Amino acid sequence: MYRVRVRSVPPVVLALRRFPNPRLTGIGAGLFASLTMFVLACVDRLLFDSSELVYGLLFLPVSALTALWVRPADLVTAPISVPIAFAVGVFPISGGSEGFGGQVMGLVTALAVHAGWLYGGTLIAGLIASVRKVRQMRARRRYVLAQGRGGAPAPASERAPRSAASAAAAAAKPVRAGAGGAGAVARRPQRP
């Protein structure tokens, strides 16, 4: 009697599967990250007096979610849109002086001071996007192999050996002019 071994799924995995799993386009992922970082920066300014630590810590999970929620066709946009979202969100907490020039200088200074958080979030988004892309390529390769090698010839080790009768029958077939391949042994000479 055979017993079927059933693998149980841990409760943590079941809980994570209940979370939303949206698939955003590249533009949608950029808008999600930008709007989220802007709102979080406004909350940071109101509650935590423009704390750089709070803003940086909030940027890391937004970067991860952006890379997780972008659809597979737009994976390359995640590491690109995350730094743009950081720059959009840092504007409310940049603390520049009055006037356009003072605001721009405050923004540039804040981007320079928070470069560690910016690189960290971009690295997280890039790693998650890369892992997702590698998994997608492996799944595609397995699918193609499962579909009968996608029309590719089988390797020599997997081909059935020809019997003498089948080899003689293949050699006795007439060869068309100009036909190439393994069966075409002799060709008509070319006219000058």
Side-chain angles (χ1 to χ4, degrees):
M1 180 110 3
Y2 293 103
R3 288 187 178 185
V4 178
R5 188 174 184 188
V6 179
R7 294 171 54 183
S8 63
V9 179
V12 174
V13 175
L14 290 175
L16 287 175
R17 287 183 182 168
R18 281 185 244 138
F19 279 109
N21 192 16
R23 289 294 170 220
L24 302 171
T25 63
I27 294 173
L31 287 174
F32 162 75
S34 297
L35 290 175
T36 304
M37 288 313 300
F38 186 79
V39 169
L40 289 176
C42 291
V43 169
D44 179 25
R45 184 174 179 172
L46 291 174
L47 298 179
F48 301 107
D49 197 30
S50 300
S51 172
E52 298 93 12
L53 179 65
V54 171
Y55 181 75
L57 287 175
L58 291 173
F59 176 65
L60 299 179
V62 170
S63 300
L65 286 176
T66 302
L68 286 172
W69 286 351
V70 71
R71 65 185 184 162
D74 296 329
L75 279 172
V76 73
T77 62
I80 296 169
S81 61
V82 166
I84 296 169
F86 186 87
V88 167
V90 84
F91 183 72
I93 63 168
S94 62
S97 61
E98 292 185 25
F100 180 73
Q103 291 294 328
V104 170
M105 288 307 295
L107 181 65
V108 170
T109 303
L111 286 173
V113 170
H114 304 321
W117 294 111
L118 176 63
Y119 294 147
T122 306
L123 180 66
I124 288 172
L127 287 175
I128 291 173
S130 298
V131 167
R132 285 186 61 202
K133 185 65 176 177
V134 167
R135 289 182 67 199
Q136 178 189 11
M137 290 180 350
R138 285 183 182 168
R140 184 178 298 151
R141 185 179 306 143
R142 279 192 297 255
Y143 176 76
V144 168
L145 289 175
Q147 295 298 320
R149 303 202 181 271
S157 63
E158 294 181 10
R159 289 187 210 140
R162 282 188 170 182
S163 65
S166 65
K173 288 184 182 178
V175 177
R176 272 188 338 194
V185 176
R187 290 188 173 174
R188 291 194 311 199
Q190 298 280 334
R191 291 188 183 182

